Amino acid sequence: MSGIFGMNLKLSIFGESHGKSIGCVLDGLPPGIALDLEALQLELDRRAPGKNNLSTQRKESDMFEIQSGFFEGHTTGTPLCAIIKNSDQHSKDYSILKDKMRPGHADYAGYVRYQGFNDYRGGGHFSGRITAPLVFAGAVAKQALAQMGIIVGAHILSINTISENKFNPMGEADELLQEIAGKEFAVMDDAVGEQMQARIISAKADNDSVGGVIETIVQHIPAGIGAPYFDSLESRLAHMMFSVPAVKGIEFGEGFAISQMTGSTANDEMHYVDGKVATTTNHNGGITGGITNASPVLFRVAIKPTPSISREQNTISLAEGQDTKLTIVGRHDPCIVQRAVPVIEAATAWVIWDMLLEAKKWEK
Amino acid sequence: MSGIFGMNLKLSIFGESHGKSIGCVLDGLPPGIALDLEALQLELDRRAPGKNNLSTQRKESDMFEIQSGFFEGHTTGTPLCAIIKNSDQHSKDYSILKDKMRPGHADYAGYVRYQGFNDYRGGGHFSGRITAPLVFAGAVAKQALAQMGIIVGAHILSINTISENKFNPMGEADELLQEIAGKEFAVMDDAVGEQMQARIISAKADNDSVGGVIETIVQHIPAGIGAPYFDSLESRLAHMMFSVPAVKGIEFGEGFAISQMTGSTANDEMHYVDGKVATTTNHNGGITGGITNASPVLFRVAIKPTPSISREQNTISLAEGQDTKLTIVGRHDPCIVQRAVPVIEAATAWVIWDMLLEAKKWEK
Amino acid sequence: MSGIFGMNLKLSIFGESHGKSIGCVLDGLPPGIALDLEALQLELDRRAPGKNNLSTQRKESDMFEIQSGFFEGHTTGTPLCAIIKNSDQHSKDYSILKDKMRPGHADYAGYVRYQGFNDYRGGGHFSGRITAPLVFAGAVAKQALAQMGIIVGAHILSINTISENKFNPMGEADELLQEIAGKEFAVMDDAVGEQMQARIISAKADNDSVGGVIETIVQHIPAGIGAPYFDSLESRLAHMMFSVPAVKGIEFGEGFAISQMTGSTANDEMHYVDGKVATTTNHNGGITGGITNASPVLFRVAIKPTPSISREQNTISLAEGQDTKLTIVGRHDPCIVQRAVPVIEAATAWVIWDMLLEAKKWEK
Amino acid sequence: MSGIFGMNLKLSIFGESHGKSIGCVLDGLPPGIALDLEALQLELDRRAPGKNNLSTQRKESDMFEIQSGFFEGHTTGTPLCAIIKNSDQHSKDYSILKDKMRPGHADYAGYVRYQGFNDYRGGGHFSGRITAPLVFAGAVAKQALAQMGIIVGAHILSINTISENKFNPMGEADELLQEIAGKEFAVMDDAVGEQMQARIISAKADNDSVGGVIETIVQHIPAGIGAPYFDSLESRLAHMMFSVPAVKGIEFGEGFAISQMTGSTANDEMHYVDGKVATTTNHNGGITGGITNASPVLFRVAIKPTPSISREQNTISLAEGQDTKLTIVGRHDPCIVQRAVPVIEAATAWVIWDMLLEAKKWEK
């Protein structure tokens, strides 16, 4: 079990929701990468709550402070630690969380795993807040990738049963991806986005919550990145994605739908375009045999509805050793999908960069 | 990039379809595990082709030979190497595979990754044959898990558009899982299985291929196995599954469907049953916060249709640097889903055992 | 290349001498370990400079601040981050260090490795100051080991050519080890210690520096800890020790001297003592075949003289691309051996704890 | 605990002295490395016993058979497995080794570690025979390094109390290193070598054994290879060396002697030679701050006398639970230093290549 991820770039994440600070250590960063600190902060701001009525009204500043590994505007090549201080927390009593296990949350699983010693306040290390350092790390990776011409973009494909169109699997305009990233609600079609937001507001009014699907594309990634057994690009991306709280599924290219296609329709035929190898379709999500094949990398992740809801639920009391009822009070997100978009992008960028460094080892 | 997987149990896989042998090294096996060698061979036989008209008519013996790490009927605790000799191969000319890239296969991706030096005969290291050592490793893990009372079972949920019922997410009878494992076509409902097989035969007659979905359940696994960031049980399982050729998606519990549920329906309420903690539903596939929560672990993987089909396809000729046509000749599987069942079970068992050892470190 | 060490306990270290803070992340700590924070601070104080005329007069507070992974007096099992703020640094100009490479230091090697982007102020990431987080980590490990009855102790065996007696390889009284740890100058024989200190003062007066040898013993460690190929206890300890700046050699038991013994004298015969297996001698330093054999673990590390000296030295100017002279100004340690004692103890404790967790995996 | 070593090149070793075969898997080898198989076999032959009266008279063929990862004369980039079959073993009864623990051997430590399940015949996994696959792996690395112009050489510096001169730390002629490697007894000065051999014969006649010191040099390695915390080149080399059976000490450059030097003499001053950076001395063994500094890498390892001797020794009987006497019968090496030379070279080459790949990741 490890709070560290990556082969060549190792990301170490730490922190609890109500501890002193949360943060990360980025190990293995190549020296000499120029970082735009304002752009890094913007990525953190995309994830931050409290901006509108779609998310919790908690205000979290999420200002990062680099401690090491950065000098005169560039990475040094030594471990880069960034911390985000937790603001003064409400003095409210969290002890109910120590006793009554919230359904859909990690409370009970974590209680067993950590033998009752975990910091339960606000979800502790399981809190979605811990994705902030992940966004920081991924934002560094996104800048490095951009310097290589590689773009990572994502959109909200669906909220509950309301969907917009999928990305064109052969690629979208880079400008479109940037435009989406700049939106408060990351969709291509704002009209559909309005419906999605209405669905979230409706769930909130109903003391309920909703989930959705996020689709991600990586453009201009070269062929030859990845491996079969056991570090396929799909393996590495999936590994990372399931570390993001609330993700319950991932599929590449056509994904589950490809299981209903036939070989003659599912295979991506190949041809030369201006002397370069290309596929004519992209049912495989840009990856065959675990390795990029010159098409964009494309995948979708399923996000479950926020488990925190204001309705009474049946659960257990550990203290009493018997069944009980629980009504979660306080502010929580009726939907986390829109806030998860920069998290998924960040997580993607970190993996892609790590895999690109992997390929560099064999360069002639 | 690594041909090695696992944290405490490290599985190293090697081999090419037409090399001298394929095999694996199992590192970190606890000493003193009694192994039933016949049962190991049966698992390999489940995967082997040539048994019926649903798979390739190639006969592969897949007899394993343990080289080390096994003494007087037990694991020794030192690395266990097993090899499976490749039988004499047809002297047929595979050089077309060096030139014409098969659509849907890793040919082009592998060519770039390995800079043209990979053994292309029969797919080389990308061949599905390389899953045989994975089955061996997983079969060892299954025996170890069984000694702890933990059962891994799987069934063919669908072939193309034909599906049978899902497993009961709260668990099935262990005997049913064993019964399914003993079938040549691993379904619960043989009548549906007949339809699935007919669909495969029909695809074959059409010079085409089909895919499907495999569902897996892990029963009697204790709560508290796994972690958040970055070794969630979902992360580790997904990582492994996407190393299995042809897997294009994975989902836990309700998976993608959970994104269309609301929190009040998706949350698994908890209660005590005979003094033990249990959930009343299992929409989360037995995992919350990356950690088992006392329910069975449940997930599904999507398998794409076999990319080898006997139809003419458009592709590229690397030698000529231009577009060409390719018709793949020879024997190949019209569907690999039924042969993938023991592979998925094996891969699951390896991960679960690894994670159980992880948890042992913190035992008081 | 990695700023992370350990198999089950992963220690991630970050920081530069003149950055915002230095620190560490301790990953994999078992939950529920009670930590005595004052005792932790005492270990840091043992390493801190400025206490006497044997070390640099720089005052560094080295106060640690735990950010995460610690709750209500115990480890939580989640990553524990501790930072040590760097006090306001002199505004002095360090730019000479960017140009003129100090002999014996990592300046040139680091310049090449980090492509000129490393923070050169005060040695940056190469500064001995970065051992402070290592001491913190090891102090946590020492507390955990003490709770298991395992004691790590060290003494200054020699400074330059002045030596005191070696530890009795069969073990010393635990109280003696604790007594030594409480001394400002960690020797068994204070009279010899006086001579050693005089030697350091004399080197300082001569604008020169001296090194020495530290001997370490681990008592009450059970047999069966370690492995052959490739994680022998000697391998893991040596790996860690050579990460401590200025260490140039390590030897276990008789070490280099064993190469001049014969088998009949070097072999440690075995016998039963009160029904327990023991060796009659300990020429092998408690380890055979990479695994503890019931005797204390014993080793020595050689520490080179501090490379910073106030004499003029020949070196190169990178800016001018030609030979030059350099006289290092400022305060530096005429000897770091006495300050390295708690570092070596800490590094040892971390490795031993990690290896003990490794062994737990196989416990029945 | 792991039978796998390396960061970018992962070496997995398996086998027992009396099992079916011993071997290794080389993971991460770059594709397209041309291998001279005859030269590989020569390295194995250097290690093989039975050539003269200095080593055991056992004849072991040590013929390697590549199973995978090698195609048309080149590495493919996929895992390369090589096995060495164990010849038919004497039917002699090894059961005494299960009961009476040989002093100086890993018998007891291994018994505890493996809970009595290890294959004790001929030392099992602890047998020096298991270094044969390590030699194979290192021989592959040596060929790859030679293609980059990097030479690894070693000599027997001492046997018992008889020494020849050390290597010139500033480097020796490459031809000299090759000449030494071609000798049956790897010394620079054959006259001293004769004395060393006489000392071995004398020990043998006395039913005793002797050890020695091996010195290794790596020439033409570029500056900038390695890291501080925690993968210093010294750390990685030491880690590997202590995995070689019988190694009890390692020192770089002046090693333990540097602890008796002063800074003004120990520091390696720098200057330009033909426009290239060089040191004027090499007391630091080519490594400062864990990173190569443009001088040759130089280190020595201490090898203990063979623990197997034909004299009666005191030890324990596990079966009887009491003290006993043991006289080891059979053929064994009165000295293993001369056979360890190719092992140490191989182990060095593997580490150096791994570290060079590490540096490639950051190449612009």
Side-chain angles (χ1 to χ4, degrees):
Chain A
M1 192 210 69
S2 179
I4 303 173
F5 186 77
M7 296 182 293
N8 307 294
L9 297 172
K10 289 178 185 153
L11 168 60
S12 180
I13 279 195
F14 59 86
E16 278 87 30
S17 176
H18 286 58
K20 192 155 190 174
S21 76
I22 60 177
C24 55
V25 182
L26 282 51
D27 190 276
L29 294 184
I33 309 285
L35 294 183
D36 177 340
L37 301 188
E38 287 184 27
L40 291 179
Q41 187 59 52
L42 280 177
E43 290 287 332
L44 281 167
D45 294 346
R46 288 176 69 199
R47 194 208 70 89
K51 288 176 298 199
N52 53 39
N53 59 355
L54 299 176
S55 66
T56 171
Q57 298 303 301
R58 285 191 313 273
K59 290 280 183 192
E60 290 164 355
S61 59
D62 286 2
M63 299 289 289
F64 70 86
E65 300 171 18
I66 294 179
Q67 306 295 307
S68 63
F70 184 72
F71 183 56
E72 296 181 344
H74 296 81
T75 57
T76 57
T78 57
L80 190 161
C81 175
I83 66 170
I84 298 168
K85 286 191 182 132
N86 286 326
S87 50
D88 291 333
Q89 303 293 339
H90 292 279
S91 57
K92 88 176 198 190
D93 184 9
Y94 277 98
S95 60
I96 194 173
L97 294 184
K98 191 175 183 177
D99 173 28
K100 297 189 176 183
M101 305 288 95
R102 293 170 300 168
H105 273 288
D107 296 4
Y108 178 66
Y111 168 80
V112 178
R113 177 69 181 133
Y114 297 111
Q115 305 171 0
F117 288 99
N118 54 311
D119 181 352
Y120 48 79
R121 296 170 301 166
H125 190 58
F126 292 96
S127 167
R129 175 158 174 71
I130 314 306
T131 58
L134 179 52
V135 169
F136 174 86
V140 169
K142 279 177 78 171
Q143 291 193 18
L145 292 179
Q147 290 168 27
M148 295 180 246
I150 298 171
I151 306 294
V152 175
H155 72 126
I156 302 168
L157 177 61
S158 65
I159 294 290
N160 197 258
T161 57
I162 302 165
S163 306
E164 70 165 350
N165 287 337
K166 290 181 184 169
F167 280 145
N168 179 344
M170 300 305 293
E172 295 284 358
D174 293 343
E175 296 70 25
L176 175 65
L177 300 181
Q178 284 160 345
E179 184 194 326
I180 297 169
K183 294 184 182 182
E184 202 169 293
F185 198 83
V187 288
M188 290 191 285
D189 182 335
D190 292 333
V192 180
E194 293 293 329
Q195 296 173 50
M196 291 176 178
Q197 294 179 63
R199 185 67 193 84
I200 296 171
I201 301 296
S202 149
K204 184 183 180 183
D206 204 24
N207 287 331
D208 214 337
S209 64
V210 287
V213 173
I214 294 171
E215 187 176 50
T216 306
I217 195 164
V218 184
Q219 303 197 152
H220 317 304
I221 186 169
I225 306 302
Y229 303 106
F230 291 96
D231 287 311
S232 80
L233 183 51
E234 289 147 317
S235 287
R236 301 294 311 177
L237 282 167
H239 187 141
M240 179 57 121
M241 292 303 144
F242 281 112
S243 296
V244 176
V247 170
K248 298 304 285 186
I250 186 168
E251 58 179 12
F252 291 84
E254 293 291 335
F256 277 86
I258 209 170
S259 75
Q260 300 194 9
M261 297 170 77
T262 59
S264 59
T265 51
N267 286 347
D268 298 309
E269 293 190 329
M270 308 183 79
H271 62 153
Y272 281 99
V273 177
D274 300 333
K276 290 193 168 174
V277 173
T279 57
T280 52
T281 53
N282 188 15
H283 302 306
N284 282 279
I287 304 172
T288 34
I291 303 173
T292 54
N293 63 15
S295 297
V297 169
L298 185 80
F299 64 93
R300 287 171 294 281
V301 296
I303 311 271
K304 72 176 183 180
T306 323
S308 288
I309 54 175
S310 303
R311 297 187 182 190
E312 186 183 77
Q313 297 179 87
N314 293 304
T315 191
I316 56 171
S317 158
L318 290 179
E320 298 174 11
Q322 60 183 43
D323 297 351
T324 188
K325 306 276 187 188
L326 169 69
T327 304
I328 303 172
V329 293
R331 301 165 299 183
H332 30 254
D333 296 274
C335 181
I336 58 162
V337 178
Q338 70 281 11
R339 293 182 58 200
V341 171
V343 179
I344 297 296
E345 283 179 26
T348 302
W350 188 260
V351 172
I352 297 291
W353 193 16
D354 189 25
M355 296 297 273
L356 286 168
L357 288 182
E358 189 68 25
K360 270 191 77 71
K361 291 186 217 166
W362 287 2
E363 276 180 13
K364 293 294 181 224
Chain B
M1 191 210 68
S2 179
I4 303 172
F5 186 78
M7 297 182 293
N8 307 294
L9 297 171
K10 289 179 184 153
L11 168 59
S12 181
I13 278 193
F14 59 86
E16 278 88 31
S17 175
H18 286 57
K20 192 155 189 174
S21 76
I22 60 177
C24 55
V25 181
L26 282 51
D27 190 276
L29 295 184
I33 309 286
L35 294 183
D36 176 341
L37 302 188
E38 287 184 28
L40 291 180
Q41 187 60 51
L42 280 176
E43 289 288 331
L44 281 167
D45 294 347
R46 288 176 69 198
R47 195 209 70 90
K51 288 176 299 198
N52 52 40
N53 58 356
L54 299 176
S55 66
T56 172
Q57 296 304 301
R58 285 191 313 273
K59 290 280 184 192
E60 290 164 354
S61 59
D62 286 0
M63 299 290 289
F64 70 87
E65 300 172 18
I66 294 179
Q67 306 296 306
S68 64
F70 184 73
F71 182 56
E72 297 181 342
H74 296 80
T75 57
T76 58
T78 58
L80 189 161
C81 176
I83 66 171
I84 298 168
K85 287 190 181 134
N86 286 326
S87 50
D88 291 334
Q89 302 295 338
H90 293 278
S91 58
K92 88 176 198 192
D93 183 8
Y94 276 98
S95 60
I96 194 173
L97 292 184
K98 191 175 184 176
D99 174 28
K100 297 189 176 182
M101 304 289 96
R102 292 171 301 169
H105 273 288
D107 295 5
Y108 177 68
Y111 168 80
V112 177
R113 177 72 181 131
Y114 296 111
Q115 304 170 0
F117 288 99
N118 55 312
D119 180 352
Y120 48 79
R121 296 170 301 166
H125 190 58
F126 291 97
S127 166
R129 176 158 174 70
I130 313 306
T131 57
L134 179 52
V135 169
F136 174 85
V140 170
K142 280 176 78 171
Q143 291 193 17
L145 292 179
Q147 291 169 27
M148 294 181 247
I150 299 170
I151 306 294
V152 175
H155 71 126
I156 302 168
L157 178 61
S158 65
I159 294 290
N160 197 258
T161 56
I162 302 165
S163 306
E164 70 165 352
N165 288 336
K166 290 181 184 169
F167 279 146
N168 179 344
M170 300 305 293
E172 295 283 357
D174 293 343
E175 296 70 25
L176 175 65
L177 300 181
Q178 284 160 346
E179 184 193 326
I180 297 170
K183 294 184 181 182
E184 203 169 291
F185 198 84
V187 288
M188 289 191 285
D189 182 335
D190 292 334
V192 180
E194 294 293 329
Q195 296 174 49
M196 292 177 179
Q197 294 178 62
R199 185 68 193 81
I200 296 171
I201 301 296
S202 148
K204 184 183 182 182
D206 204 24
N207 287 331
D208 213 336
S209 64
V210 288
V213 173
I214 294 171
E215 187 176 49
T216 306
I217 194 164
V218 184
Q219 304 197 150
H220 316 304
I221 186 169
I225 306 302
Y229 305 104
F230 291 96
D231 286 311
S232 80
L233 183 51
E234 288 147 317
S235 286
R236 301 294 313 176
L237 282 167
H239 187 142
M240 179 57 122
M241 292 303 143
F242 281 113
S243 296
V244 176
V247 170
K248 298 303 285 186
I250 186 168
E251 59 178 13
F252 291 84
E254 293 291 335
F256 277 86
I258 209 170
S259 75
Q260 301 193 9
M261 296 169 76
T262 59
S264 60
T265 51
N267 286 347
D268 297 310
E269 293 190 328
M270 308 184 77
H271 61 154
Y272 281 99
V273 178
D274 298 334
K276 291 192 168 175
V277 173
T279 58
T280 52
T281 53
N282 188 15
H283 303 305
N284 283 278
I287 304 171
T288 35
I291 303 173
T292 53
N293 62 15
S295 296
V297 170
L298 185 80
F299 64 92
R300 287 171 295 280
V301 296
I303 311 271
K304 73 177 182 178
T306 324
S308 289
I309 54 174
S310 303
R311 296 186 181 190
E312 185 183 77
Q313 297 179 86
N314 293 304
T315 192
I316 56 171
S317 160
L318 290 178
E320 297 174 11
Q322 61 183 41
D323 297 350
T324 187
K325 306 276 188 189
L326 169 69
T327 303
I328 303 172
V329 293
R331 301 165 300 182
H332 31 251
D333 296 275
C335 180
I336 58 161
V337 178
Q338 71 281 11
R339 291 182 58 200
V341 171
V343 179
I344 297 296
E345 283 179 26
T348 302
W350 188 260
V351 172
I352 296 292
W353 194 16
D354 190 24
M355 296 297 272
L356 287 168
L357 288 182
E358 189 68 24
K360 268 190 78 72
K361 291 186 217 165
W362 286 3
E363 277 181 11
K364 294 294 181 226
Chain C
M1 194 210 68
S2 178
I4 302 173
F5 186 78
M7 296 182 294
N8 306 294
L9 297 171
K10 289 179 184 152
L11 168 60
S12 181
I13 278 194
F14 59 85
E16 278 88 31
S17 176
H18 287 58
K20 192 156 189 174
S21 76
I22 59 177
C24 55
V25 182
L26 281 51
D27 190 275
L29 294 184
I33 309 285
L35 293 184
D36 176 341
L37 301 188
E38 287 183 28
L40 291 180
Q41 187 60 52
L42 279 177
E43 291 288 332
L44 281 167
D45 294 346
R46 287 177 71 198
R47 196 209 69 90
K51 287 176 298 197
N52 52 40
N53 58 355
L54 299 176
S55 66
T56 172
Q57 296 304 302
R58 286 191 312 273
K59 291 280 183 190
E60 290 164 355
S61 59
D62 286 1
M63 298 291 289
F64 69 87
E65 300 172 17
I66 294 179
Q67 306 296 306
S68 63
F70 185 73
F71 183 55
E72 296 180 343
H74 296 80
T75 58
T76 57
T78 58
L80 188 161
C81 176
I83 66 171
I84 298 168
K85 285 189 184 136
N86 286 325
S87 50
D88 290 334
Q89 302 295 339
H90 292 278
S91 57
K92 87 176 199 190
D93 183 8
Y94 277 97
S95 60
I96 194 174
L97 292 184
K98 191 175 184 178
D99 174 27
K100 296 189 178 183
M101 304 288 96
R102 292 170 301 168
H105 271 289
D107 295 4
Y108 178 67
Y111 168 81
V112 178
R113 178 68 180 134
Y114 296 112
Q115 305 172 359
F117 287 101
N118 54 312
D119 181 353
Y120 49 79
R121 297 170 300 167
H125 191 56
F126 292 97
S127 167
R129 177 158 174 72
I130 313 308
T131 56
L134 179 52
V135 169
F136 175 85
V140 170
K142 279 176 77 171
Q143 292 193 17
L145 292 180
Q147 290 168 28
M148 294 180 247
I150 298 171
I151 307 293
V152 176
H155 71 126
I156 302 169
L157 176 61
S158 65
I159 294 291
N160 195 259
T161 56
I162 302 164
S163 305
E164 69 164 354
N165 288 335
K166 291 181 184 170
F167 279 145
N168 178 344
M170 300 305 292
E172 296 282 359
D174 293 344
E175 296 70 25
L176 175 65
L177 300 181
Q178 283 159 346
E179 184 194 325
I180 298 170
K183 294 184 184 182
E184 203 168 292
F185 198 82
V187 287
M188 290 191 283
D189 182 336
D190 292 334
V192 179
E194 293 294 328
Q195 296 173 48
M196 292 176 178
Q197 294 178 61
R199 185 68 193 83
I200 297 172
I201 300 297
S202 148
K204 185 182 180 183
D206 203 24
N207 286 331
D208 212 337
S209 64
V210 287
V213 172
I214 294 171
E215 187 176 50
T216 306
I217 194 164
V218 184
Q219 303 197 153
H220 316 304
I221 186 169
I225 307 303
Y229 305 103
F230 290 98
D231 286 312
S232 80
L233 183 52
E234 290 147 317
S235 288
R236 302 294 311 176
L237 282 168
H239 187 141
M240 179 55 120
M241 292 304 143
F242 281 113
S243 296
V244 176
V247 170
K248 298 303 287 186
I250 186 168
E251 58 178 13
F252 291 83
E254 292 291 334
F256 277 86
I258 209 171
S259 76
Q260 300 194 9
M261 296 169 77
T262 59
S264 59
T265 51
N267 285 348
D268 296 310
E269 293 190 328
M270 308 185 78
H271 61 154
Y272 280 99
V273 178
D274 299 333
K276 290 192 168 176
V277 173
T279 57
T280 52
T281 53
N282 189 15
H283 303 306
N284 283 278
I287 305 171
T288 35
I291 303 173
T292 53
N293 63 14
S295 296
V297 169
L298 184 81
F299 64 92
R300 286 171 295 281
V301 295
I303 311 271
K304 73 176 182 179
T306 323
S308 289
I309 54 174
S310 303
R311 297 187 182 189
E312 186 184 75
Q313 297 180 87
N314 294 304
T315 191
I316 56 171
S317 159
L318 289 179
E320 297 174 12
Q322 60 184 43
D323 297 350
T324 188
K325 307 275 186 187
L326 170 68
T327 303
I328 303 172
V329 294
R331 299 164 300 181
H332 30 254
D333 295 276
C335 181
I336 57 162
V337 178
Q338 71 280 11
R339 292 182 58 201
V341 171
V343 179
I344 296 297
E345 282 179 27
T348 302
W350 188 261
V351 172
I352 296 291
W353 194 16
D354 189 26
M355 296 297 273
L356 286 167
L357 289 181
E358 188 69 24
K360 270 190 76 73
K361 292 186 214 164
W362 287 3
E363 276 180 12
K364 293 295 180 222
Chain D
M1 193 209 67
S2 178
I4 303 172
F5 186 78
M7 296 182 293
N8 306 294
L9 297 172
K10 289 178 184 153
L11 169 59
S12 180
I13 278 194
F14 59 85
E16 278 88 31
S17 176
H18 286 57
K20 192 156 190 174
S21 75
I22 60 177
C24 55
V25 182
L26 282 50
D27 190 276
L29 295 184
I33 309 284
L35 293 184
D36 176 340
L37 302 188
E38 287 184 28
L40 291 180
Q41 187 60 51
L42 280 177
E43 291 287 333
L44 282 167
D45 294 346
R46 286 176 70 198
R47 195 209 69 90
K51 288 177 297 199
N52 52 40
N53 57 356
L54 299 176
S55 67
T56 172
Q57 296 304 302
R58 286 191 313 273
K59 290 281 183 190
E60 290 165 354
S61 59
D62 286 0
M63 299 291 289
F64 70 86
E65 300 172 16
I66 294 178
Q67 306 296 306
S68 64
F70 184 73
F71 183 54
E72 297 181 342
H74 296 80
T75 57
T76 57
T78 58
L80 189 161
C81 175
I83 66 171
I84 298 168
K85 286 188 182 136
N86 286 326
S87 50
D88 289 334
Q89 302 296 338
H90 293 278
S91 57
K92 87 175 200 193
D93 184 8
Y94 277 98
S95 60
I96 193 173
L97 293 184
K98 192 175 184 176
D99 173 28
K100 296 189 178 183
M101 304 289 96
R102 292 171 301 169
H105 272 289
D107 295 4
Y108 178 67
Y111 168 80
V112 178
R113 178 68 180 134
Y114 296 112
Q115 304 170 0
F117 288 99
N118 55 312
D119 180 352
Y120 48 79
R121 297 171 301 167
H125 191 56
F126 291 97
S127 167
R129 177 160 174 69
I130 313 308
T131 57
L134 179 52
V135 169
F136 175 85
V140 170
K142 280 176 77 171
Q143 292 193 17
L145 292 179
Q147 291 169 28
M148 294 180 245
I150 299 171
I151 306 293
V152 176
H155 71 127
I156 302 169
L157 177 61
S158 65
I159 294 291
N160 195 257
T161 56
I162 302 165
S163 305
E164 70 165 353
N165 288 336
K166 290 181 184 170
F167 279 145
N168 178 345
M170 299 305 293
E172 296 283 357
D174 292 345
E175 295 71 24
L176 175 65
L177 300 180
Q178 284 159 345
E179 185 194 325
I180 297 170
K183 294 184 183 183
E184 203 169 292
F185 198 83
V187 288
M188 291 191 283
D189 182 336
D190 291 334
V192 179
E194 293 294 329
Q195 297 173 47
M196 292 176 178
Q197 294 179 61
R199 184 69 192 82
I200 296 172
I201 300 297
S202 149
K204 185 182 181 183
D206 203 26
N207 287 330
D208 213 336
S209 64
V210 287
V213 172
I214 294 170
E215 187 177 50
T216 306
I217 195 165
V218 184
Q219 304 197 150
H220 317 303
I221 185 168
I225 306 303
Y229 304 105
F230 291 95
D231 287 312
S232 80
L233 183 51
E234 289 147 317
S235 287
R236 302 295 309 177
L237 282 167
H239 188 142
M240 178 57 121
M241 292 303 142
F242 281 113
S243 296
V244 176
V247 170
K248 297 304 286 186
I250 186 168
E251 58 178 12
F252 291 83
E254 293 291 335
F256 277 86
I258 208 170
S259 75
Q260 301 194 9
M261 297 170 77
T262 60
S264 60
T265 50
N267 285 348
D268 298 309
E269 293 190 329
M270 308 184 77
H271 61 154
Y272 281 99
V273 177
D274 300 333
K276 289 192 168 175
V277 173
T279 57
T280 52
T281 52
N282 189 14
H283 302 307
N284 283 279
I287 304 171
T288 35
I291 303 173
T292 53
N293 63 15
S295 296
V297 169
L298 184 80
F299 64 92
R300 286 172 295 281
V301 296
I303 311 271
K304 73 177 182 178
T306 324
S308 289
I309 54 174
S310 302
R311 296 186 182 190
E312 186 183 77
Q313 297 179 87
N314 294 304
T315 192
I316 55 171
S317 159
L318 289 178
E320 299 175 10
Q322 60 183 43
D323 297 350
T324 187
K325 306 277 186 187
L326 169 68
T327 303
I328 304 172
V329 293
R331 300 166 298 182
H332 31 252
D333 295 276
C335 181
I336 58 161
V337 178
Q338 71 280 11
R339 292 181 59 200
V341 172
V343 179
I344 297 297
E345 283 179 27
T348 302
W350 188 262
V351 172
I352 296 291
W353 193 16
D354 189 25
M355 296 297 272
L356 287 167
L357 289 181
E358 189 68 25
K360 269 190 76 73
K361 292 185 214 165
W362 286 4
E363 276 180 13
K364 293 295 180 222

